[in-house]
Amino acid sequence: MEILVDQLRFAYPRDGFVLRVDRLGMPAGGRLALVGPSGSGKSTLLRLLAGIHRPQSGTVRVGGTNLAALGEGARRAFRIRHTGFVFQDFQLVDSLNVRQNIRLPYRIHPALRWDRAAATRLQALAESCGIADKLGRPIDRLSQGERQRVAICRALVTAPGLILADEPTGNLDPAGKRAVLELLLCEADKAGAGLVLVTHDRQLLEPFDRVIDAAGFHQAAAAPGPGVPDAT
Amino acid sequence: MIDLFQLAWRHLLHHRGRTLVLVLCLTVALVLPWITRTLANLWQDGLLARAEATPLVIGAAGSRFDLVLHVLNFQTDPPGTFAQAEREAVVQSGHARVIPLHVRFRARGWPVVGTTLDYFEFRNLEVAQGRGLIRLGDCVVGAEAARVLGLQPGDFLRTDRTGVFDLAGGQPLELRVNGVLGGNGSADDRAVFVDLHTAWVIEGIGHGHDDVGQVDGETGEGGDGSGGVVLERGPGHVVAGPALRTHQRITDDNIGSFHFHGDPSGYPLTALIALPPDERSTTLLLGRYAAGDSRHQAQQPPQVAAELIGMVARMKHWFDLQQGLLALVAGLLAGLVFWLSVRLRRGELRTMAHLGCARGTIVIMLAMELALLAALALAAAWAVNRLVAGLAADWVRALAG
C-alpha cells in the first residue's frame, strides 16, 4: 500500500511537542526507515500512519484512504484490516499462548474472519519464523527473540498491505536484531507489503529503499517555516 | 462474541488467584443474605406448619410466645407449671380432648417429653425400630436424637441432673430405650418421649425403693454411716432414713416398688394440647381462659406463630439492611480489585486498541469478565446455599417445631 503524507501537523494535547511533515511518500511494497533521536516524533509518525492518532491538519493517505478524514471506528477498522503493527516491547497478551496471540486480531474485530486460509497462513508464518513447535506454549516461556517473532506473526497474519514496526529490534541482541529484521523484510516481501520501520540502529538501514531522519520533523516544528522537504 | 468470551475466560483462568479472590468476595456478598433468607424461610415454614397442626394449647399464665414455642419445639421453657387438675377440668368441660405435656428435664441434652400415647397418634408418629412405650421407665427416642446419641432399642439413656444445687430435684433415671421413631423433620425428631408417669418419677414425685418392711433390724444403719434405713417403725407406718436405696433404673423386678406420693390432681404439667371438635368449642374454651382465669392461658398457635413471624420479619428488615451493607462493601471491594486489575492491564488493552480493537469491544470484553465472575460467584453461592440448606433444614425445622 502506498503512503502519501501531505502538510501534516500533529500536537499532543497539553504537551509542547509538535510534529510537522510537509510531504512524505512511499510507494506500495516500499521499505522506509525512520531514524532519529528519542523524542523526535518517529513513533508518533508511525502512529499517525496507523491511524492511532489523527492529525490536527493535513492528510495521511494509506492505500488511497485519507486516514485523517476517518472517524475513530473507521480508522480502527482500516488499521486492523490493512496494517500490521510490530511493537518494540512486543505487547503480547500474557493470558494467551503463542497461537492465540497470533490469532488475536481475528478475535477482536468483526472485520476479520477466521477461516481456513487464515489458519493456513498462521501455520505457514509460524513455520517461517521458526516457532511452529511453540504454538501451544505460554508467552512467559519464550525468549525475547521468540516473543518478537510471535509479534511479527501477529502483525502479518491478517495479510496486511502495510507493516509498521516501532523499534522491533530494540530489546534484542545484535544477532537477534539482524535475524528479526531479515525475517520482517522476508515476510513483507513474500506478502508484497510495504514496511515502515522505526529504529535507532543505523547499522540496520542497508536493506531499506529510503531512510528519513525524523529530527527534521521536530526541528521544523521548533522553527516554523517550510517544514521538512519533500521526502518522496 | 464467542471470541471475546474466550478471551475473557482465558484471562480469568490465567489470573486464577485474583479470580478466586474476586469470586470469593462476590460469593460472600451473595451467600450471606441468601442463606439467612433460606434458613429464615425454613424456620418460618416449619413453625407455621407445626402451628397449623396444633389448634389450641393451654398452659400456665405468662408469655404466650413461651407457651406456644414450648409446645411446638420443646426447647423453650414453659411460662410455668400447673396442676393436673386443669387437665381434668378441660376434659370435664367437654370442649376438647386434651394431650398433656410435661417437658422439664433432659437426657444427655435432649428434651424429655412426658406425655400420653395420644400424642403419637396426634402427630402421626410411628415407631421405626422396636416398640412404643409399654411400661414405666420406657422411652421412645426421636430419629435425630437416636442417630446423634447412637441409641437403639434395648439401650439405656440416663436423664440429666437438673442442677448441682437442686437438692429437692429428682434423681437421674435410667430410661430403657424401647423404640426409635421414624423422622418427620420436626421437633419430635429431637426429643425423648416418656410416659407422663415416668416424667413424674424423674420429677421425684414417684419413686421406687427397697421394701422397708423387709429391712432387717429395728433401725439398721446405712453402710456409709450416713443414717439408718429405718428411722422409726410404728403401727401402720415406717419412717425411712437416707440410707434407703431408691432405684435409678426401673426393671421388671423392681417396678412393683414404684409408687407416687401426693394428690394426683396436683401433679405438674407444663402444657396441654387441646383438640376441640369444632369452632364453637374452640371459642368457648378460649373464652373460659380469657375471662377470669388468671393462672392459666389458652392460645391458638397459628395466630401466635404468625405474630411471632411478623415480629421477626420486622427485625429482618434490619438484618437485610445490615447484610445489604455487607454486600455493598464486598461488592465495592471486588469492584476495586477489578478496577486495579484493569489498570494493571492497561498495556494489554492499549495493544488491542492499537491493533484496531474498537473501544466498545474492549468494554464488552471487560463486561464479560465481570459477568463470568458474577456467574461463578452466583453458582458458588447457590451451591453453598443448597448445601447449608440441606444440612441445616432438619435442624432449623426442628428448632421451629
Side-chain angles (χ1 to χ4, degrees), chain B residues 88-314:
Chain B
E88 297 304 324
V90 175
V91 171
Q92 297 215 343
S93 74
H95 296 317
R97 192 160 68 89
V98 292
I99 300 169
L101 289 177
H102 177 287
V103 191
R104 294 190 64 202
F105 301 102
R106 289 178 173 268
R108 291 170 66 183
W110 301 79
V112 175
V113 180
T115 186
T116 61
L117 294 177
D118 290 342
Y119 184 85
F120 298 90
E121 186 188 344
F122 168 62
R123 294 285 191 209
N124 292 319
L125 299 178
E126 291 187 1
V127 177
Q129 293 177 54
R131 295 181 295 172
L133 301 175
I134 293 176
R135 60 146 215 228
L136 197 68
D138 283 352
C139 71
V140 172
V141 185
E144 177 67 6
R147 187 187 66 77
V148 174
L149 297 176
L151 293 173
Q152 53 189 0
D155 291 341
F156 286 88
L157 175 64
R158 182 187 287 265
T159 61
D160 300 338
R161 203 175 275 276
T162 50
V164 176
F165 303 108
D166 184 11
L167 298 177
Q171 293 295 309
L173 183 69
E174 278 192 23
L175 302 169
R176 183 180 72 172
V177 178
N178 221 33
V180 175
L181 295 173
N184 66 358
S186 76
D188 298 326
D189 293 351
R190 303 173 62 84
V192 175
F193 292 92
V194 297
D195 181 75
L196 200 53
H197 290 83
T198 304
W200 286 328
V201 170
I202 301 169
E203 180 109 18
I205 295 168
H207 61 181
H209 50 73
D210 292 340
D211 184 355
V212 290
Q214 301 299 317
V215 174
D216 289 336
E218 285 296 307
T219 55
E221 286 293 324
D224 58 358
S226 59
V229 172
V230 177
L231 298 179
E232 181 185 329
R233 195 186 296 271
H237 75 276
V238 178
V239 178
L244 181 68
R245 194 158 59 96
T246 55
H247 303 303
Q248 305 297 304
R249 179 189 287 188
I250 302 171
T251 65
D252 291 337
D253 294 334
N254 67 23
I255 192 167
S257 72
F258 275 82
H259 53 277
F260 293 84
H261 295 274
D263 178 5
S265 65
Y267 293 173
L269 296 174
T270 55
L272 295 174
I273 296 174
L275 308 173
D278 49 38
E279 195 65 30
R280 179 177 171 275
S281 301
T282 303
T283 307
L284 288 172
L285 209 48
L286 285 170
R288 168 192 167 121
Y289 287 97
D293 188 343
S294 60
R295 292 177 300 131
H296 303 94
Q297 62 174 322
Q299 299 293 340
Q300 289 179 291
Q303 291 177 6
V304 176
E307 194 181 343
L308 188 62
I309 287 167
M311 286 170 63
V312 172
R314 282 196 290 278

Side-chain angles (χ1 to χ4, degrees), chain A residues 159-213:
Chain A
L162 177 64
I163 300 168
L164 304 169
D166 190 0
E167 301 195 45
T169 58
N171 288 327
L172 304 177
D173 57 41
K177 284 180 183 179
R178 192 147 296 279
V180 163
L181 182 63
E182 281 172 9
L183 185 64
L184 254 179
L185 291 165
C186 174
E187 293 302 327
D189 276 351
K190 270 199 270 182
L195 172 65
V196 179
L197 180 133
V198 168
T199 183
H200 279 292
D201 195 339
R202 290 182 182 269
Q203 291 178 328
L204 301 176
L205 300 178
E206 191 184 332
F208 286 86
D209 306 331
R210 185 159 290 111
V211 176
I212 294 177
D213 190 341

Side-chain angles (χ1 to χ4, degrees), chain A residues 1-6 8 21 23-34 45-46 48-50 59-67 78 82-83 161-165 193-197 210 212 230-232:
Chain A
M1 295 178 93
E2 64 172 359
I3 294 173
L4 190 60
V5 175
D6 189 34
L8 173 96
V21 181
R23 194 164 177 80
L24 171 68
M26 187 188 82
R31 297 170 178 183
L32 172 66
L34 291 171
L45 179 59
L46 209 63
L48 284 158
L49 293 175
T59 58
V60 178
R61 291 187 185 279
V62 176
T65 302
N66 181 12
L67 299 183
F78 182 88
H82 299 296
T83 65
L162 177 64
I163 300 168
L164 304 169
L195 172 65
V196 179
L197 180 133
R210 185 159 290 111
I212 294 177
D230 186 350
T232 54

